[in-house]
Amino acid sequence: MKIVLLGPPGSGKGTQAHLICEKYNLPHISTGDIFRANIANQTELGKKAKEYMDQGALVPDELTISIVVDRLNQPDCKKGFVFDGFPRNLAQAKELDKMVELDKAIMIYLDDEEIINRLSKRRMCKVCGNPTHMDWLVNDKCEKCGGEVYQRDDDAPETIKARLIKQKLPQDVIDFYKEKGIYEQITSTDNKEKTFVLVDEILKKI
Ligand code: ADP
Ligand code: ZN
């Protein structure tokens, strides 16, 4: 199963990626997570990526594509994978297309007002990486593993607005996957299990 999840930040695509990977035992490839790990480890790549991420901008394609190539070359990707946050533009989509043949590109859609509302309440688990939501926490801790949670730097309100403007998924990416006949779209609900039922209906047809 070779899948990419498309969708605006806050649409819940990270959460859906986790659910798919759990059920189908696939590697979850989040370019955002890879950048954040590099920032935490203070690598050269992390330093470069942070400049862009702090401004709500996309990291340049060169850097992004190089980490994707490295990741795809690891043996666990042979059985399939779920991309979360990649591709974000046509150049990235075309690069990926040279490397693998995707089964589906699934858009997890959400409108702008809901996005701002959700992102300002988003929290991340320090322990298991689960993207969660203030309302889902149990005693202020991750509802999955009990780990401590934090708010991402780029989930500050000003950065959220910048990300929505600078990072709108270009229509040409959607058209690219439509032309290949692998594009699917669902609307995100505020219940992750219900949303997953919609996603899984698509996966079961693969
Ligand atoms: P979001 O929840 O906003 O979708 P991600 O965790 O996917 O966030 O990404 C965080 C940041 O990392 C983005 O705002 C962007 O700066 C950078 N980034 C992640 N994936 C890509 C990509 N495919 N191309 C360029 N920049 C990326
Ligand atoms: Zn956790």
Side-chain angles (χ1 to χ4, degrees):
M1 216 181 246
K2 299 186 167 94
I3 311 286
V4 303
L5 293 184
L6 308 169
S11 62
K13 67 181 180 323
T15 302
Q16 294 304 315
H18 275 276
L19 292 171
I20 299 171
C21 292
E22 246 168 51
K23 175 159 182 188
Y24 294 98
N25 189 28
L26 295 170
H28 172 199
I29 311 181
S30 157
T31 40
D33 283 351
I34 298 174
F35 289 136
R36 279 185 290 278
N38 275 274
I39 292 172
N41 294 326
Q42 300 185 326
T43 67
E44 272 312 304
L45 173 76
K47 278 179 209 154
K48 284 188 204 151
K50 190 173 186 336
E51 286 173 36
Y52 298 92
M53 289 168 74
D54 283 349
Q55 294 169 31
L58 287 182
V59 176
D61 286 346
E62 232 182 75
L63 282 183
T64 307
I65 291 165
S66 75
I67 64 167
V68 167
V69 172
D70 284 351
R71 187 64 190 84
L72 275 177
N73 281 330
Q74 289 172 30
D76 63 330
C77 288
K78 285 218 175 71
K79 60 183 174 189
F81 47 76
V82 179
F83 267 105
D84 160 17
F86 184 91
R88 272 173 149 98
N89 59 34
L90 189 61
Q92 294 182 359
K94 286 187 169 166
E95 280 302 319
L96 183 62
D97 191 53
K98 285 185 206 159
M99 293 182 271
V100 294
E101 194 174 336
L102 295 174
D103 294 303
K104 289 286 177 200
I106 306 173
M107 163 69 82
I108 317 274
Y109 176 78
L110 193 67
D111 68 40
D112 286 1
E113 198 183 325
E114 258 304 297
I115 292 170
I116 294 172
N117 179 25
R118 278 203 203 174
L119 285 181
S120 53
K121 291 186 175 173
R122 175 158 72 181
R123 297 294 183 271
M124 305 293 287
C125 178
K126 282 185 188 171
V127 180
C128 73
N130 178 35
T132 180
H133 187 285
M134 272 168 72
D135 298 344
W136 300 345
L137 301 179
V138 178
N139 299 324
D140 293 333
K141 301 269 162 70
C142 170
E143 78 281 8
K144 258 174 132 184
C145 78
E148 248 188 82
V149 298
Y150 68 100
Q151 183 170 33
R152 279 171 41 176
D153 289 346
D154 59 357
D155 281 342
E158 315 75 62
T159 320
I160 293 174
K161 289 195 186 120
R163 280 157 66 204
L164 285 182
I165 297 164
K166 293 182 192 172
Q167 300 193 18
K168 202 156 188 64
L169 185 76
Q171 183 63 33
D172 55 11
V173 176
I174 296 172
D175 293 341
F176 180 75
Y177 290 128
K178 278 188 179 164
E179 274 160 33
K180 289 186 167 294
I182 60 169
Y183 182 79
E184 306 271 355
Q185 176 167 330
I186 61 143
T187 299
S188 181
T189 75
D190 52 16
N191 176 311
K192 57 184 167 179
E193 283 82 19
K194 274 192 196 153
T195 307
F196 184 64
V197 171
L198 303 176
V199 172
D200 207 22
E201 274 168 16
I202 297 169
L203 301 179
K204 282 175 183 159
K205 285 186 274 177
I206 294 176

